[in-house]
Amino acid sequence: MPKFDTQVQELKYRILKEVATSYDRGTLEEDIDQIPYLITPHGAKPTFRCCVYHEREIVKERVKLAMGGDKNNPNIVEVIPSACDQCPFGGITVTDACRGCLAHRCAQACRLNCITFENLRAKINKDKCVNCGLCAKACPFGAISNLKRPCEAACKIGAISHRSEGSTAHIDEEKCTRCGACSYSCPFGAIMDKSYILQCIDLMKGNEKGEINAYMIVAPSVSSQFHGVRLTQVITGMKKLGFHSVVEAALGADMVSYYESKELSEKGKLTSSCCPAFVRYVETSFPTLKEYVSHNLSPMAMLARYIRDNDPKAKTCFVGPCIAKKMEMFREDSAPYVDCVITFEELQALIDMRGINLAELEDSPLDNASYFGRIFARCGGLSEAVQEALKERNDPFVVKGISCSGLEECKRALTMMKNGRTDANFIEGMACVGGCIGGPCCLTHEVRDAADVDKYGRESKEKTIVDAVKNLVPLD
């Protein structure tokens, strides 16, 4: 069993593997009702819910999502009602640490007079409280906490709510950026991304039959995943799945940084377009800044377009840690080039479905992108690459950049740009904390991941961006 951060990821992997295995052998229609019993067999004791019947209902809903989910729901992320624990409302809460002190600073800080005292202990009137948190900040004992449901706490833009006490999570379609932070944070696994693993298997089989040339475009954050085997063995494993070729998206990142440096120099002010969740955040929450979003495609779409333009039989599949990339696949500017998007979790399920032992494989090196393209996987990498591209193009434009990861940081940077309170001329925005290495569908989230990305970049044979793209794009 591969290593995952949580048992939620492990359950998701097991279901994906079962669905993929049945589809691969052509028996999914007959097997679909039996998959819940494979996960929670007869006679088994419940391991994550009150009873096996409840567990099987959850698995049943997850199977639907593994097959593509609700076609009428435009969101890539869906709530699984049967899995939602309907966590109790928290909000501003007085804990047992309250000492009933004389100062009553909490009450003095409350502008709505929500706090009274009973038996020498603070009591909050929930009917009046607006959860501003001023009382919690004022309490010298830290006895007042803001208890949020995990999914709500993870969503930094308020796209998730619970409409009433005891209700399941609700996603606001207009606000949601599809970043997937809620899906990773929910301890009950009640939020899951739709899977396109079946479409990926179709590409694999089409390639094996010679009908198409299926290309796997792999995100540079792969360098921080699959611990215990060499990255070059993982590349071989992807080829053995049935792909014509495996190409690193970092080459697309080199192309993006080259073009983006030109666009920044010409326009004077820009925000990045590599992270689809960040782009959607700008579009939905900062519409007046849409004009500053780079007109370049993301590295995924940029490279997919190049492949499709140069191989009439090509079909492309992107693999990475990102849920929002599944949304980007359907965007008007990317849809003509990207045929499928899967995650590292789904890639692991495919590898195990085919019984591929990565540790026993020979090496298939990736050596066509530069250091600067490869470090796009962590926060700050894009800004470094744009500055390098300007330098290589002998462009004197000076970048005054802000690199922000996580939507809280992005909100602060965009707010300053909107209100004219910063002289920054370039905002690199990444919805996930730390960048792509913090993506919700990473196999693991570890401190060393950023160092792994930089190490991977230093191993590149191409030492400059121009060296990497000189045969791919017209240069100045």
Side-chain angles (χ1 to χ4, degrees):
M1 178 69 69
K3 178 187 176 185
F4 296 105
D5 284 346
T6 70
Q7 290 184 326
V8 171
Q9 284 182 288
E10 183 179 319
L11 174 64
K12 180 180 179 182
Y13 155 81
R14 291 173 61 199
I15 294 169
L16 286 167
K17 182 184 173 185
E18 292 295 343
V19 169
T21 300
S22 291
Y23 187 75
D24 193 41
R25 67 180 176 227
T27 61
L28 181 56
E29 188 173 342
E30 303 95 276
D31 297 343
I32 190 170
D33 291 333
Q34 293 304 312
I35 292 176
Y37 294 89
L38 292 174
I39 302 300
T40 306
H42 290 291
K45 293 183 178 180
T47 58
F48 60 92
R49 271 301 187 265
C50 58
C51 63
V52 294
Y53 308 106
H54 193 175
E55 290 189 356
R56 288 173 188 152
E57 179 60 28
I58 292 171
V59 172
K60 182 179 177 181
E61 294 301 316
R62 282 183 163 271
V63 168
K64 292 179 182 178
L65 283 162
M67 296 172 61
D70 183 358
K71 303 298 188 295
N72 295 318
N73 185 344
N75 204 330
I76 297 298
V77 182
E78 290 190 23
V79 175
I80 305 172
S82 60
C84 183
D85 197 56
Q86 302 169 14
C87 304
F89 271 104
I92 301 298
T93 303
V94 178
T95 71
D96 290 339
C98 179
R99 310 305 299 158
C101 67
L102 178 62
H104 290 181
R105 288 175 180 163
C106 56
Q108 294 171 5
C110 182
R111 297 170 181 172
L112 299 178
N113 297 318
C114 299
I115 298 179
T116 57
F117 292 85
E118 294 182 8
N119 299 319
L120 299 179
R121 180 171 172 174
K123 181 180 179 181
I124 297 176
N125 184 337
K126 289 291 186 177
D127 292 333
K128 296 171 64 177
C129 179
V130 294
N131 293 318
C132 69
L134 292 176
C135 58
K137 294 178 181 178
C139 177
F141 294 104
I144 303 177
S145 299
N146 189 358
L147 303 176
K148 289 186 177 182
R149 293 175 170 182
C151 56
E152 288 188 37
C155 182
K156 304 305 180 182
I157 56 174
I160 291 191
S161 62
H162 295 74
R163 293 172 169 174
S164 62
E165 184 73 44
S167 65
T168 57
H170 170 74
I171 299 176
D172 185 329
E173 298 296 335
E174 298 300 320
K175 288 183 178 180
C176 180
T177 65
R178 284 62 165 161
C179 71
C182 56
S183 67
Y184 180 74
S185 297
C186 177
F188 299 97
I191 305 175
M192 179 178 163
D193 55 305
K194 295 175 179 175
S195 176
Y196 298 98
I197 197 170
L198 304 188
Q199 289 85 336
C200 183
I201 294 173
D202 287 340
L203 293 182
M204 291 156 49
K205 290 188 172 183
N207 186 83
E208 290 167 343
K209 294 176 182 177
E211 299 170 349
I212 61 170
N213 290 333
Y215 290 78
M216 177 67 87
I217 300 174
V218 58
S221 49
V222 70
S223 58
S224 66
Q225 305 294 299
F226 299 97
H227 299 307
V229 296
R230 298 185 297 275
L231 174 58
T232 48
Q233 292 175 309
V234 178
I235 303 307
T236 304
M238 294 182 199
K239 292 179 179 179
K240 284 188 173 294
L241 282 175
F243 282 90
H244 173 74
S245 182
V246 179
V247 189
E248 54 182 330
L251 182 58
D254 281 319
M255 298 163 73
V256 167
S257 58
Y258 187 84
Y259 285 129
E260 203 143 284
S261 69
K262 295 178 65 176
E263 186 178 8
L264 174 59
S265 179
E266 291 167 0
K267 294 183 176 179
K269 184 184 291 187
L270 211 62
T271 75
S272 61
S273 59
C274 295
C275 172
F278 172 73
V279 172
R280 180 172 168 82
Y281 183 49
V282 175
E283 293 172 344
T284 56
S285 298
F286 293 88
T288 59
L289 298 181
K290 285 197 297 184
E291 62 178 300
Y292 297 111
V293 177
S294 170
H295 285 71
N296 284 292
L297 296 173
S298 71
M300 171 187 79
M302 183 78 75
L303 186 55
R305 182 176 67 181
Y306 175 81
I307 292 170
R308 294 288 294 267
D309 287 347
N310 288 274
D311 184 350
K313 291 181 63 177
K315 296 289 185 181
T316 61
C317 179
F318 174 85
V319 60
C322 182
I323 288 175
K325 284 293 183 186
K326 296 181 179 182
M327 168 191 67
E328 184 187 350
M329 173 174 61
F330 296 106
R331 289 181 66 99
E332 185 178 351
D333 56 355
S334 301
Y337 316 116
V338 182
D339 298 288
C340 184
V341 172
I342 63 171
T343 64
F344 290 139
E345 294 171 332
E346 291 158 341
L347 175 61
Q348 183 70 69
L350 289 172
I351 288 171
D352 293 342
M353 171 197 80
R354 288 284 177 91
I356 298 172
N357 187 342
L358 296 177
E360 296 178 352
L361 299 182
E362 67 278 10
D363 296 319
S364 294
L366 282 174
D367 55 8
N368 48 5
S370 78
Y371 164 83
F372 298 97
R374 289 179 173 180
I375 62 172
F376 266 52
R378 48 94 170 153
C379 182
L382 170 57
S383 295
E384 289 182 42
V386 168
Q387 293 185 61
E388 172 65 19
L390 287 166
K391 176 183 174 182
E392 292 182 23
R393 293 178 46 251
N394 296 313
D395 190 321
F397 186 88
V398 178
V399 179
K400 296 180 181 179
I402 300 177
S403 296
C404 40
S405 70
L407 290 178
E408 279 186 309
E409 287 188 6
C410 292
K411 181 179 181 179
R412 286 194 290 269
L414 291 169
T415 300
M416 288 192 295
M417 176 179 278
K418 176 184 176 181
N419 296 332
R421 292 192 286 109
T422 177
D423 63 349
N425 54 28
F426 183 67
I427 294 180
E428 173 195 352
M430 306 185 89
C432 295
V433 176
C436 299
I437 55 174
C441 295
C442 284
L443 300 180
T444 62
H445 300 73
E446 299 184 12
V447 174
R448 65 175 178 175
D449 289 351
D452 286 344
V453 168
D454 284 345
K455 178 183 177 183
Y456 172 54
R458 289 191 294 270
E459 293 171 352
S460 174
K461 293 182 180 180
E462 305 293 353
K463 301 306 177 185
T464 68
I465 294 171
V466 169
D467 284 342
V469 304
K470 61 185 177 185
N471 295 321
L472 306 178
V473 301
L475 304 179
D476 292 343

